[in-house]
Amino acid sequence: MSFRPWLAAVASSSSRAVARSPIKRSIRYLETSSTASLETEDDWTDLQLRRAHVGYLSNKYGSTQNAQNTYKPRDGLHRPAAQATISALLASGAHFGHSASRMNPNFAPYAYGTRSGITVIDLDQTLPMLRRAANLVRAIASAGGQIVFIGTRPDLRPIVQKAADRLGSQGFHVGDRWLPGTLTNKIPLFGIETVKETKVVPDLVILLNPLSNMNAIHECAIEHVPTVGIVDSNVDPRIVMYPIPANDENTRTAELIGGVLSIAGREGVALWEAELKRQEELEEKWNRPNYYGS
């Protein structure tokens, strides 16, 4: 007597179904590729011609995807786009805000609406403000200004480091912690000789997480240093001079915005270096002896 009648019924029905099936299990293992060997030179030539024809059809009608144009997760950090688009911002999750109950009243002009209790940021506002910030970074870098990138979360440290590296000697970054008094208490921190000989106050500060660096924002306001910051829906946009409404907790959003701003800064650095080179050539030309033919 079986204690599991349902198990016996399932086993018997399965065995009957297998017995009635005309398809053998061996069909599963049939090979569809030809195993004929290449015995003559004509066989080898025919194989090469068929391969070339398949390659031609693949290149003409197939996908154009390759290793260079295929997206990789690390591209946002190492190969960022020079120009931002609405689709790129949307794909990075820049439109996700905080809970609607936490929205700052001053953020209302940059909110598209709410969905499922979450504030949706208006990317039609984000894109022009990001481009405005990129133009600012390019203009300051082209004038020889120094730019500081601040991102003190662990996931933001490689972003600000890469962004500063793109600007060369004009770029700096803070990835661990902003030391209070860096701008307002320069002499005790750096020494009077360093303050006299070295430029300590930057020309622009870019913050990827402004709420965690309010000390830096206050010091920049005291020293009249313009600031650019990613502002989420729970933040007052007035804390920075050039706000960029976007999701400040998403690493991909920070990579996109930091990459766009740093590439704009790199373009400005190239313009500054070209201007310096032109001035050097002009001075060398004016100081050249017998320039007027005398």
Side-chain angles (χ1 to χ4, degrees):
M1 181 177 179
S2 175
F3 292 97
R4 297 181 180 178
W6 59 271
L7 184 60
V10 170
S12 61
S13 62
S14 300
S15 61
R16 288 195 299 270
V18 171
R20 289 195 302 267
S21 177
I23 303 176
K24 296 182 179 180
R25 296 176 180 269
S26 59
I27 295 179
R28 224 182 279 181
Y29 306 102
L30 290 178
E31 294 183 1
T32 58
S33 60
S34 176
T35 58
S37 59
L38 303 177
E39 298 179 354
T40 63
E41 294 184 0
D42 294 337
D43 295 339
W44 176 257
T45 303
D46 182 62
L47 175 63
Q48 295 297 325
L49 291 176
R50 283 190 281 113
R51 284 182 176 178
H53 181 63
V54 171
Y56 169 76
L57 294 178
S58 299
N59 294 332
K60 186 176 181 179
Y61 302 106
S63 175
T64 59
Q65 187 175 4
N66 53 44
Q68 284 69 34
N69 59 18
T70 303
Y71 172 78
K72 301 179 181 62
R74 63 177 182 271
D75 289 348
L77 178 63
H78 299 283
R79 296 170 54 189
Q83 297 290 336
T85 59
I86 292 290
S87 59
L89 290 170
L90 193 66
S92 66
H95 59 292
F96 292 115
H98 284 270
S99 174
S101 60
R102 298 181 57 190
M103 188 181 74
N104 192 290
N106 296 313
F107 191 84
Y110 309 112
Y112 183 81
T114 60
R115 183 173 179 84
S116 301
I118 302 298
T119 301
V120 179
I121 300 174
D122 188 4
L123 297 183
D124 286 332
Q125 302 275 352
T126 302
L127 184 60
M129 301 182 81
L130 175 57
R131 290 176 176 173
R132 180 185 65 170
N135 293 333
L136 173 68
V137 174
R138 186 183 298 106
I140 291 179
S142 63
Q146 296 179 351
I147 301 173
V148 177
F149 292 86
I150 301 178
T152 53
R153 288 204 316 262
D155 59 320
L156 300 180
R157 292 169 190 166
I159 300 175
V160 295
Q161 183 178 2
K162 278 286 184 181
D165 291 342
R166 292 189 184 101
L167 271 66
S169 60
Q170 295 179 224
F172 302 88
H173 73 277
V174 178
D176 293 327
R177 174 177 173 267
W178 177 268
L179 186 62
T182 301
L183 301 181
T184 57
N185 201 20
K186 301 181 288 295
I187 295 178
L189 286 178
F190 302 103
I192 189 171
E193 296 296 332
T194 303
V195 173
K196 288 182 178 180
E197 298 175 359
T198 308
K199 183 179 180 181
V200 178
V201 179
D203 298 286
L204 178 67
V205 173
I206 300 173
L207 302 105
L208 301 185
N209 54 337
L211 278 186
S212 302
N213 297 280
M214 292 303 298
N215 288 333
I217 294 175
H218 291 158
E219 294 185 23
C220 290
I222 294 173
E223 295 293 331
H224 305 287
V225 177
T227 52
V228 176
I230 301 178
V231 176
D232 211 329
S233 62
N234 63 329
V235 183
D236 188 349
R238 298 175 299 178
I239 64 174
V240 293
M241 189 174 296
Y242 298 93
I244 302 174
N247 185 359
D248 64 351
E249 296 182 351
N250 193 336
T251 307
R252 287 187 60 187
T253 302
E255 288 178 351
L256 175 62
I257 295 177
V260 170
L261 297 180
S262 61
I263 289 180
R266 184 173 63 184
E267 295 173 356
V269 170
L271 295 175
W272 171 248
E273 293 177 350
E275 179 65 20
L276 291 179
K277 184 177 180 180
R278 189 188 68 84
Q279 292 180 1
E280 291 178 359
E281 293 177 353
L282 187 61
E283 291 179 0
E284 182 181 357
K285 185 177 180 180
W286 281 97
N287 296 330
R288 189 179 305 166
N290 299 327
Y291 178 73
Y292 294 101
S294 56

mmCIF file of all heavy atoms in Angstrom, residues 3-34:
data_model
loop_
_atom_site.group_PDB
_atom_site.id
_atom_site.type_symbol
_atom_site.label_atom_id
_atom_site.label_comp_id
_atom_site.label_asym_id
_atom_site.label_seq_id
_atom_site.Cartn_x
_atom_site.Cartn_y
_atom_site.Cartn_z
ATOM 1 N N PHE A 3 1.813 5.070 0.596
ATOM 2 C CA PHE A 3 1.438 6.183 1.474
ATOM 3 C C PHE A 3 1.338 7.501 0.709
ATOM 4 O O PHE A 3 0.880 8.478 1.259
ATOM 5 C CB PHE A 3 2.471 6.330 2.600
ATOM 6 C CG PHE A 3 2.430 5.175 3.556
ATOM 7 C CD1 PHE A 3 3.319 4.132 3.427
ATOM 8 C CD2 PHE A 3 1.484 5.127 4.576
ATOM 9 C CE1 PHE A 3 3.281 3.065 4.306
ATOM 10 C CE2 PHE A 3 1.450 4.068 5.458
ATOM 11 C CZ PHE A 3 2.349 3.021 5.324
ATOM 12 N N ARG A 4 1.802 7.538 -0.518
ATOM 13 C CA ARG A 4 1.757 8.748 -1.347
ATOM 14 C C ARG A 4 1.075 8.423 -2.672
ATOM 15 O O ARG A 4 1.738 8.233 -3.703
ATOM 16 C CB ARG A 4 3.164 9.303 -1.602
ATOM 17 C CG ARG A 4 3.869 9.737 -0.310
ATOM 18 C CD ARG A 4 5.226 10.286 -0.607
ATOM 19 N NE ARG A 4 5.895 10.707 0.615
ATOM 20 C CZ ARG A 4 7.140 11.213 0.653
ATOM 21 N NH1 ARG A 4 7.813 11.353 -0.479
ATOM 22 N NH2 ARG A 4 7.670 11.571 1.794
ATOM 23 N N PRO A 5 -0.207 8.338 -2.691
ATOM 24 C CA PRO A 5 -0.902 7.970 -3.949
ATOM 25 C C PRO A 5 -0.729 8.991 -5.049
ATOM 26 O O PRO A 5 -0.678 8.654 -6.227
ATOM 27 C CB PRO A 5 -2.366 7.834 -3.505
ATOM 28 C CG PRO A 5 -2.462 8.645 -2.250
ATOM 29 C CD PRO A 5 -1.122 8.525 -1.564
ATOM 30 N N TRP A 6 -0.597 10.270 -4.689
ATOM 31 C CA TRP A 6 -0.447 11.291 -5.727
ATOM 32 C C TRP A 6 0.890 11.175 -6.438
ATOM 33 O O TRP A 6 0.988 11.411 -7.634
ATOM 34 C CB TRP A 6 -0.578 12.681 -5.105
ATOM 35 C CG TRP A 6 0.425 12.963 -4.026
ATOM 36 C CD1 TRP A 6 0.290 12.712 -2.700
ATOM 37 C CD2 TRP A 6 1.718 13.542 -4.196
ATOM 38 N NE1 TRP A 6 1.410 13.083 -2.014
ATOM 39 C CE2 TRP A 6 2.312 13.612 -2.908
ATOM 40 C CE3 TRP A 6 2.429 13.997 -5.303
ATOM 41 C CZ2 TRP A 6 3.589 14.105 -2.699
ATOM 42 C CZ3 TRP A 6 3.700 14.495 -5.097
ATOM 43 C CH2 TRP A 6 4.266 14.550 -3.806
ATOM 44 N N LEU A 7 1.948 10.745 -5.682
ATOM 45 C CA LEU A 7 3.255 10.584 -6.304
ATOM 46 C C LEU A 7 3.259 9.406 -7.259
ATOM 47 O O LEU A 7 3.833 9.449 -8.347
ATOM 48 C CB LEU A 7 4.313 10.404 -5.218
ATOM 49 C CG LEU A 7 5.756 10.307 -5.686
ATOM 50 C CD1 LEU A 7 6.145 11.580 -6.432
ATOM 51 C CD2 LEU A 7 6.696 10.083 -4.512
ATOM 52 N N ALA A 8 2.584 8.313 -6.864
ATOM 53 C CA ALA A 8 2.504 7.153 -7.755
ATOM 54 C C ALA A 8 1.715 7.483 -9.009
ATOM 55 O O ALA A 8 2.057 7.046 -10.116
ATOM 56 C CB ALA A 8 1.854 5.981 -7.001
ATOM 57 N N ALA A 9 0.657 8.301 -8.871
ATOM 58 C CA ALA A 9 -0.142 8.671 -10.043
ATOM 59 C C ALA A 9 0.654 9.530 -11.014
ATOM 60 O O ALA A 9 0.594 9.350 -12.236
ATOM 61 C CB ALA A 9 -1.408 9.410 -9.588
ATOM 62 N N VAL A 10 1.447 10.447 -10.499
ATOM 63 C CA VAL A 10 2.272 11.297 -11.367
ATOM 64 C C VAL A 10 3.313 10.475 -12.091
ATOM 65 O O VAL A 10 3.575 10.642 -13.286
ATOM 66 C CB VAL A 10 2.913 12.416 -10.531
ATOM 67 C CG1 VAL A 10 3.973 13.156 -11.350
ATOM 68 C CG2 VAL A 10 1.858 13.386 -10.040
ATOM 69 N N ALA A 11 3.937 9.513 -11.380
ATOM 70 C CA ALA A 11 4.970 8.689 -12.006
ATOM 71 C C ALA A 11 4.393 7.823 -13.115
ATOM 72 O O ALA A 11 4.982 7.663 -14.186
ATOM 73 C CB ALA A 11 5.642 7.827 -10.933
ATOM 74 N N SER A 12 3.220 7.256 -12.868
ATOM 75 C CA SER A 12 2.618 6.401 -13.893
ATOM 76 C C SER A 12 2.191 7.210 -15.120
ATOM 77 O O SER A 12 2.358 6.764 -16.258
ATOM 78 C CB SER A 12 1.417 5.658 -13.301
ATOM 79 O OG SER A 12 0.449 6.593 -12.856
ATOM 80 N N SER A 13 1.633 8.405 -14.887
ATOM 81 C CA SER A 13 1.226 9.226 -16.032
ATOM 82 C C SER A 13 2.426 9.690 -16.836
ATOM 83 O O SER A 13 2.378 9.755 -18.066
ATOM 84 C CB SER A 13 0.418 10.425 -15.546
ATOM 85 O OG SER A 13 1.228 11.240 -14.707
ATOM 86 N N SER A 14 3.545 9.986 -16.188
ATOM 87 C CA SER A 14 4.747 10.408 -16.898
ATOM 88 C C SER A 14 5.306 9.283 -17.731
ATOM 89 O O SER A 14 5.741 9.473 -18.867
ATOM 90 C CB SER A 14 5.795 10.908 -15.891
ATOM 91 O OG SER A 14 5.288 11.997 -15.161
ATOM 92 N N SER A 15 5.301 8.048 -17.174
ATOM 93 C CA SER A 15 5.830 6.909 -17.937
ATOM 94 C C SER A 15 4.957 6.607 -19.143
ATOM 95 O O SER A 15 5.448 6.262 -20.209
ATOM 96 C CB SER A 15 5.936 5.695 -17.015
ATOM 97 O OG SER A 15 4.653 5.343 -16.513
ATOM 98 N N ARG A 16 3.629 6.760 -19.003
ATOM 99 C CA ARG A 16 2.739 6.521 -20.148
ATOM 100 C C ARG A 16 2.950 7.573 -21.226
ATOM 101 O O ARG A 16 2.919 7.278 -22.416
ATOM 102 C CB ARG A 16 1.282 6.519 -19.682
ATOM 103 C CG ARG A 16 0.902 5.289 -18.886
ATOM 104 C CD ARG A 16 -0.628 5.182 -18.776
ATOM 105 N NE ARG A 16 -1.190 6.328 -18.105
ATOM 106 C CZ ARG A 16 -1.380 6.404 -16.785
ATOM 107 N NH1 ARG A 16 -1.030 5.381 -16.005
ATOM 108 N NH2 ARG A 16 -1.928 7.482 -16.258
ATOM 109 N N ALA A 17 3.189 8.852 -20.799
ATOM 110 C CA ALA A 17 3.402 9.908 -21.790
ATOM 111 C C ALA A 17 4.684 9.676 -22.561
ATOM 112 O O ALA A 17 4.747 9.892 -23.779
ATOM 113 C CB ALA A 17 3.440 11.267 -21.098
ATOM 114 N N VAL A 18 5.727 9.185 -21.882
ATOM 115 C CA VAL A 18 6.993 8.904 -22.567
ATOM 116 C C VAL A 18 6.832 7.745 -23.525
ATOM 117 O O VAL A 18 7.388 7.716 -24.625
ATOM 118 C CB VAL A 18 8.095 8.645 -21.531
ATOM 119 C CG1 VAL A 18 9.363 8.147 -22.208
ATOM 120 C CG2 VAL A 18 8.368 9.905 -20.733
ATOM 121 N N ALA A 19 6.059 6.733 -23.099
ATOM 122 C CA ALA A 19 5.861 5.569 -23.968
ATOM 123 C C ALA A 19 5.076 5.928 -25.219
ATOM 124 O O ALA A 19 5.315 5.376 -26.299
ATOM 125 C CB ALA A 19 5.134 4.464 -23.189
ATOM 126 N N ARG A 20 4.081 6.840 -25.101
ATOM 127 C CA ARG A 20 3.292 7.232 -26.267
ATOM 128 C C ARG A 20 4.043 8.176 -27.202
ATOM 129 O O ARG A 20 3.671 8.331 -28.348
ATOM 130 C CB ARG A 20 2.000 7.914 -25.820
ATOM 131 C CG ARG A 20 1.006 6.962 -25.185
ATOM 132 C CD ARG A 20 -0.364 7.627 -25.115
ATOM 133 N NE ARG A 20 -0.304 8.865 -24.374
ATOM 134 C CZ ARG A 20 -0.556 8.954 -23.068
ATOM 135 N NH1 ARG A 20 -0.846 7.857 -22.370
ATOM 136 N NH2 ARG A 20 -0.527 10.130 -22.465
ATOM 137 N N SER A 21 5.098 8.869 -26.724
ATOM 138 C CA SER A 21 5.788 9.861 -27.530
ATOM 139 C C SER A 21 6.591 9.194 -28.631
ATOM 140 O O SER A 21 7.418 8.317 -28.356
ATOM 141 C CB SER A 21 6.718 10.703 -26.653
ATOM 142 O OG SER A 21 7.438 11.612 -27.448
ATOM 143 N N PRO A 22 6.382 9.566 -29.898
ATOM 144 C CA PRO A 22 7.138 8.954 -31.001
ATOM 145 C C PRO A 22 8.528 9.540 -31.165
ATOM 146 O O PRO A 22 9.321 9.041 -31.943
ATOM 147 C CB PRO A 22 6.268 9.257 -32.226
ATOM 148 C CG PRO A 22 5.591 10.549 -31.867
ATOM 149 C CD PRO A 22 5.361 10.510 -30.379
ATOM 150 N N ILE A 23 8.829 10.650 -30.444
ATOM 151 C CA ILE A 23 10.124 11.314 -30.609
ATOM 152 C C ILE A 23 11.121 10.692 -29.649
ATOM 153 O O ILE A 23 10.855 10.554 -28.455
ATOM 154 C CB ILE A 23 9.997 12.823 -30.330
ATOM 155 C CG1 ILE A 23 8.952 13.414 -31.263
ATOM 156 C CG2 ILE A 23 11.334 13.512 -30.505
ATOM 157 C CD1 ILE A 23 8.690 14.879 -31.005
ATOM 158 N N LYS A 24 12.217 10.304 -30.132
ATOM 159 C CA LYS A 24 13.248 9.689 -29.313
ATOM 160 C C LYS A 24 14.089 10.764 -28.639
ATOM 161 O O LYS A 24 14.218 11.871 -29.124
ATOM 162 C CB LYS A 24 14.135 8.778 -30.161
ATOM 163 C CG LYS A 24 13.382 7.604 -30.749
ATOM 164 C CD LYS A 24 14.331 6.716 -31.527
ATOM 165 C CE LYS A 24 13.592 5.507 -32.103
ATOM 166 N NZ LYS A 24 14.505 4.634 -32.872
ATOM 167 N N ARG A 25 14.649 10.404 -27.496
ATOM 168 C CA ARG A 25 15.489 11.346 -26.770
ATOM 169 C C ARG A 25 16.757 11.695 -27.540
ATOM 170 O O ARG A 25 17.350 12.751 -27.337
ATOM 171 C CB ARG A 25 15.878 10.767 -25.405
ATOM 172 C CG ARG A 25 14.690 10.546 -24.476
ATOM 173 C CD ARG A 25 15.130 9.881 -23.195
ATOM 174 N NE ARG A 25 14.012 9.657 -22.306
ATOM 175 C CZ ARG A 25 13.598 10.496 -21.377
ATOM 176 N NH1 ARG A 25 14.241 11.651 -21.233
ATOM 177 N NH2 ARG A 25 12.568 10.223 -20.604
ATOM 178 N N SER A 26 17.200 10.784 -28.405
ATOM 179 C CA SER A 26 18.452 11.023 -29.108
ATOM 180 C C SER A 26 18.360 12.178 -30.090
ATOM 181 O O SER A 26 19.389 12.697 -30.532
ATOM 182 C CB SER A 26 18.891 9.761 -29.840
ATOM 183 O OG SER A 26 17.881 9.382 -30.757
ATOM 184 N N ILE A 27 17.124 12.572 -30.481
ATOM 185 C CA ILE A 27 16.983 13.683 -31.418
ATOM 186 C C ILE A 27 17.556 14.957 -30.816
ATOM 187 O O ILE A 27 18.030 15.838 -31.509
ATOM 188 C CB ILE A 27 15.498 13.856 -31.788
ATOM 189 C CG1 ILE A 27 15.005 12.623 -32.543
ATOM 190 C CG2 ILE A 27 15.259 15.115 -32.604
ATOM 191 C CD1 ILE A 27 13.554 12.684 -32.930
ATOM 192 N N ARG A 28 17.506 15.026 -29.503
ATOM 193 C CA ARG A 28 17.985 16.203 -28.804
ATOM 194 C C ARG A 28 19.474 16.464 -29.061
ATOM 195 O O ARG A 28 19.935 17.584 -28.984
ATOM 196 C CB ARG A 28 17.764 15.993 -27.321
ATOM 197 C CG ARG A 28 17.190 17.191 -26.605
ATOM 198 C CD ARG A 28 17.072 16.885 -25.167
ATOM 199 N NE ARG A 28 15.879 16.127 -24.896
ATOM 200 C CZ ARG A 28 15.529 15.735 -23.694
ATOM 201 N NH1 ARG A 28 16.317 15.986 -22.681
ATOM 202 N NH2 ARG A 28 14.405 15.081 -23.512
ATOM 203 N N TYR A 29 20.184 15.431 -29.323
ATOM 204 C CA TYR A 29 21.634 15.541 -29.439
ATOM 205 C C TYR A 29 22.119 15.513 -30.888
ATOM 206 O O TYR A 29 23.306 15.326 -31.134
ATOM 207 C CB TYR A 29 22.300 14.402 -28.658
ATOM 208 C CG TYR A 29 21.845 14.332 -27.230
ATOM 209 C CD1 TYR A 29 20.908 13.383 -26.828
ATOM 210 C CD2 TYR A 29 22.326 15.224 -26.284
ATOM 211 C CE1 TYR A 29 20.465 13.330 -25.519
ATOM 212 C CE2 TYR A 29 21.901 15.175 -24.966
ATOM 213 C CZ TYR A 29 20.969 14.221 -24.593
ATOM 214 O OH TYR A 29 20.537 14.176 -23.286
ATOM 215 N N LEU A 30 21.197 15.638 -31.863
ATOM 216 C CA LEU A 30 21.612 15.649 -33.261
ATOM 217 C C LEU A 30 22.390 16.919 -33.558
ATOM 218 O O LEU A 30 22.025 18.004 -33.117
ATOM 219 C CB LEU A 30 20.391 15.564 -34.180
ATOM 220 C CG LEU A 30 19.655 14.222 -34.190
ATOM 221 C CD1 LEU A 30 18.435 14.305 -35.104
ATOM 222 C CD2 LEU A 30 20.576 13.105 -34.649
ATOM 223 N N GLU A 31 23.451 16.811 -34.285
ATOM 224 C CA GLU A 31 24.278 17.957 -34.660
ATOM 225 C C GLU A 31 23.782 18.522 -35.982
ATOM 226 O O GLU A 31 23.509 17.772 -36.933
ATOM 227 C CB GLU A 31 25.733 17.547 -34.787
ATOM 228 C CG GLU A 31 26.346 17.124 -33.467
ATOM 229 C CD GLU A 31 27.814 16.794 -33.628
ATOM 230 O OE1 GLU A 31 28.304 16.919 -34.765
ATOM 231 O OE2 GLU A 31 28.445 16.437 -32.647
ATOM 232 N N THR A 32 23.687 19.823 -36.036
ATOM 233 C CA THR A 32 23.258 20.489 -37.263
ATOM 234 C C THR A 32 24.422 20.964 -38.114
ATOM 235 O O THR A 32 24.232 21.351 -39.260
ATOM 236 C CB THR A 32 22.378 21.695 -36.908
ATOM 237 O OG1 THR A 32 23.117 22.571 -36.064
ATOM 238 C CG2 THR A 32 21.113 21.249 -36.179
ATOM 239 N N SER A 33 25.601 21.004 -37.561
ATOM 240 C CA SER A 33 26.765 21.463 -38.322
ATOM 241 C C SER A 33 27.374 20.312 -39.106
ATOM 242 O O SER A 33 27.329 19.155 -38.693
ATOM 243 C CB SER A 33 27.815 22.057 -37.368
ATOM 244 O OG SER A 33 28.230 21.072 -36.453
ATOM 245 N N SER A 34 27.952 20.653 -40.230
ATOM 246 C CA SER A 34 28.570 19.651 -41.084
ATOM 247 C C SER A 34 29.935 19.268 -40.531
ATOM 248 O O SER A 34 30.690 20.113 -40.074
ATOM 249 C CB SER A 34 28.721 20.193 -42.505
ATOM 250 O OG SER A 34 29.397 19.252 -43.305
#
